[in-house]
Amino acid sequence: MLTLKQTRQLRTVLLGTLAWIVALVVFFPILWMFLTSFKTELAAFSSPPQLFFTPTLENYLLVDSRSDYFHYAKNSVIISFGATLAGMLLAVPAAYSMAFFETKRTKGTLLWMLSTKMLPPVGVLVPIYLIFKDTGLLDTRTGLIIIYTLINLPIMVWMLYTYFKEIPKDILEAARLDGATPLQEILRVLIPISKGGMASTVLLSLILCWNEAFWSLNLTASSAAPLTALVASYSSPEGLFWAKLSAVSTLACAPILIFGWFSQKQLVRGLSFGAVK
């Protein structure tokens, strides 16, 4: 018969083992992509897969000679940060008004905003394409920043609304009694208090913008194409060249993976904001 302490220790070991298994399952595709990028095409297609092979840089050299990687990377950075900044400028005041000046229509408005995420993007592709064509926004960074801002705005408002609801209204009322305007309340009181929640919202928006492929493939050609379009360009009618595709995918994933690794503590802190009162 196990004692209470032994039961807790056993539970901790089992949960830790399960967490490692889940982490390995999630991380394995990334590891396999990274390893495949150093194989030749013959080794990449071999069956059974080769676990031991002579690494080569020919795939990366081919990507460097065939494509201007830094052009696509620059577009991804500008579009992702631009859309995130625009989204935060809209989401913060929207979430502030809904959280601290709630009406009977607030819940319905939030649900309506979230319901727009259920709409298949292909359903609105044609009208948006025609609007962008008539306004000269096709194959422009501005066009992608606008569309990325709109598709991520509901999630950003929902997240910020959840964080703001955890902040006592008395704090803002005290600032209001001291003569603070709504803008001063947001800048000097609300933002410093909810830095963790806002950081997680920013990080999530950056990741979503960086990984967005549907709109970048349909609304850009070359000038404003981000890294997702670069990856798709290595899928040809002749078939998939796994080694070269893995190399360009590794180059596309590396910046956001590194960024996420260094900001993981802030992300976890923000996602758990308000979870424990």
Side-chain angles (χ1 to χ4, degrees):
M1 195 71 179
L2 295 176
T3 63
L4 181 60
K5 182 177 180 181
Q6 291 174 329
T7 302
R8 289 178 177 175
Q9 291 176 342
L10 179 61
R11 184 184 303 171
T12 302
V13 172
L14 291 176
L15 290 176
T17 303
L18 180 61
W20 273 104
I21 293 174
V22 172
L24 290 174
V25 170
V26 172
F27 180 70
F28 181 76
I30 301 174
L31 175 62
W32 192 256
M33 175 186 70
F34 177 74
L35 293 176
T36 305
S37 68
F38 292 99
K39 295 181 179 180
T40 62
E41 289 296 341
L42 184 61
F45 272 99
S46 65
S47 183
Q50 296 182 6
L51 296 178
F52 301 98
F53 57 91
T54 302
T56 176
L57 293 176
E58 63 176 342
N59 299 310
Y60 289 95
L61 294 175
L62 185 141
V63 170
D64 180 63
S65 61
R66 172 181 164 180
S67 309
D68 187 357
Y69 169 78
F70 290 101
H71 167 72
Y72 293 93
K74 181 176 70 173
N75 286 340
S76 286
V77 171
I78 293 174
I79 293 167
S80 297
F81 278 89
T84 298
L85 176 61
M88 290 298 290
L89 290 176
L90 295 173
V92 170
Y96 163 77
S97 63
M98 291 180 180
F100 298 106
F101 303 96
E102 193 168 357
T103 67
K104 61 181 181 179
R105 295 186 177 88
T106 298
K107 295 293 185 181
T109 302
L110 285 168
L111 289 173
W112 171 77
M113 292 180 65
L114 193 61
S115 69
T116 60
K117 296 296 294 180
M118 304 175 190
L119 179 69
V122 70
V124 293
L125 173 60
V126 173
I128 288 180
Y129 183 90
L130 294 176
I131 292 172
F132 273 42
K133 181 181 179 182
D134 293 339
T135 55
L137 291 174
L138 279 180
D139 199 21
T140 63
R141 296 170 183 161
T142 303
L144 282 186
I145 288 175
I146 292 173
I147 198 69
Y148 284 12
T149 301
L150 294 177
I151 63 177
N152 290 329
L153 190 59
I155 296 178
M156 298 174 74
V157 172
W158 258 96
M159 290 183 66
L160 291 175
Y161 170 80
T162 303
Y163 300 137
F164 291 170
K165 286 291 287 184
E166 298 294 330
I167 298 175
K169 293 183 179 181
D170 296 343
I171 297 177
L172 295 184
E173 290 177 357
R176 206 171 297 134
L177 289 174
D178 289 338
T181 63
L183 181 59
Q184 290 173 331
E185 287 181 30
I186 294 175
L187 295 179
R188 298 183 179 181
V189 181
L190 192 62
I191 291 179
I193 293 176
S194 56
K195 286 189 296 184
M198 295 186 68
S200 67
T201 304
V202 168
L203 292 173
L204 181 61
S205 175
L206 286 173
I207 293 171
L208 292 174
C209 291
W210 191 277
N211 294 333
E212 176 60 43
F214 178 82
W215 293 107
S216 65
L217 294 177
N218 288 284
L219 298 180
T220 63
S222 58
S223 298
L227 286 170
T228 48
L230 174 63
V231 174
S233 69
Y234 279 80
S235 176
S236 63
E238 292 80 12
L240 295 175
F241 297 92
W242 292 110
K244 297 177 181 61
L245 189 60
S246 296
V248 72
S249 298
T250 300
L251 290 173
C253 295
I256 198 67
L257 285 175
I258 295 172
F259 179 77
W261 175 264
F262 283 106
S263 58
Q264 59 180 321
K265 290 184 179 179
Q266 189 65 43
L267 180 60
V268 172
R269 187 182 304 127
L271 290 175
S272 60
F273 182 83
V276 180
K277 291 187 178 181

